[in-house]
Amino acid sequence: MYKKDGIFVDSQLRTSNPRIYAAGDCVYGSPQLETASASMGSIAANNIYGDEIKEYVRERYPLAVLTDPAYVFCGKRTEDRVETAISNVSKSRIVGRTEGKISIYLDRDERVKGMEVIAYHAEEFSGEISFITNEGTKLQDIIDMPHV
């Protein structure tokens, strides 16, 4: 099914014709970012040719806007959050780019539900952000991690 704003797909990225898949900017509700399109394309290709069917859940994949400073988000925003200036990360001080912030969105048990980073080359954090938000990491775990 198609609407002016894009093609409707199910969680496996199938259209109303189960033999046709859609991914990326043409999908209704897609954030129209390269990172989302790449994730969707990979899952659609896997579902067409692979043995194991995968589902696309937008919150599991990081979204990045490659501006300067860059913006990366993964997960869900919640009412409870903690924020810190990117200048608290030693690398930002070393390279002399201290503009930006990190926001961590938490559930009641202080498990990370989402993360947002605005910083010089924030896209370099996208893998870690995705892992942290998808593995039920607690805030204290992040505090105890070594940060370079």
Side-chain angles (χ1 to χ4, degrees):
M1 179 181 223
Y2 174 79
K3 190 174 178 180
K4 180 177 113 176
D5 299 327
I7 300 168
F8 289 97
V9 296
D10 65 13
S11 63
Q12 296 172 9
L13 300 173
R14 294 178 301 191
T15 65
S16 57
N17 179 335
R19 297 184 64 192
I20 299 176
Y21 290 74
D25 293 357
C26 68
V27 171
Y28 180 80
S30 172
Q32 298 189 348
L33 295 169
E34 184 278 332
T35 51
S37 296
S39 300
M40 294 170 86
S42 176
I43 290 171
N46 175 82
N47 290 347
I48 293 167
Y49 297 109
D51 293 330
E52 179 184 338
I53 298 299
K54 295 185 177 182
E55 292 193 352
Y56 177 75
V57 179
R58 194 208 55 78
E59 292 85 7
R60 290 190 57 83
Y61 297 92
L63 303 177
V65 180
L66 304 178
T67 52
D68 186 14
Y71 171 84
V72 175
F73 177 79
C74 188
K76 299 178 183 176
R77 289 180 179 87
T78 62
E79 294 280 324
D80 295 326
R81 75 171 185 246
V82 293
E83 292 185 342
T84 187
I86 200 69
S87 60
N88 290 325
V89 177
S90 57
K91 180 181 177 182
S92 71
R93 293 190 306 275
I94 291 167
V95 299
R97 298 294 303 268
T98 57
E99 65 276 10
K101 69 177 183 172
I102 300 171
S103 299
I104 302 171
Y105 298 89
L106 307 166
D107 68 10
R108 290 186 187 123
D109 297 324
E110 291 200 341
R111 292 197 183 281
V112 177
K113 301 313 272 178
M115 287 184 73
E116 184 173 50
V117 178
I118 301 169
Y120 176 66
H121 283 300
E123 70 278 5
E124 293 178 6
F125 296 114
S126 64
E128 290 85 354
I129 290 170
S130 179
F131 179 80
I132 288 167
T133 58
N134 288 302
E135 294 302 317
T137 306
K138 288 195 157 206
L139 178 60
Q140 190 60 49
D141 297 331
I142 296 173
I143 293 168
D144 293 342
M145 270 181 212
H147 300 280
V148 179

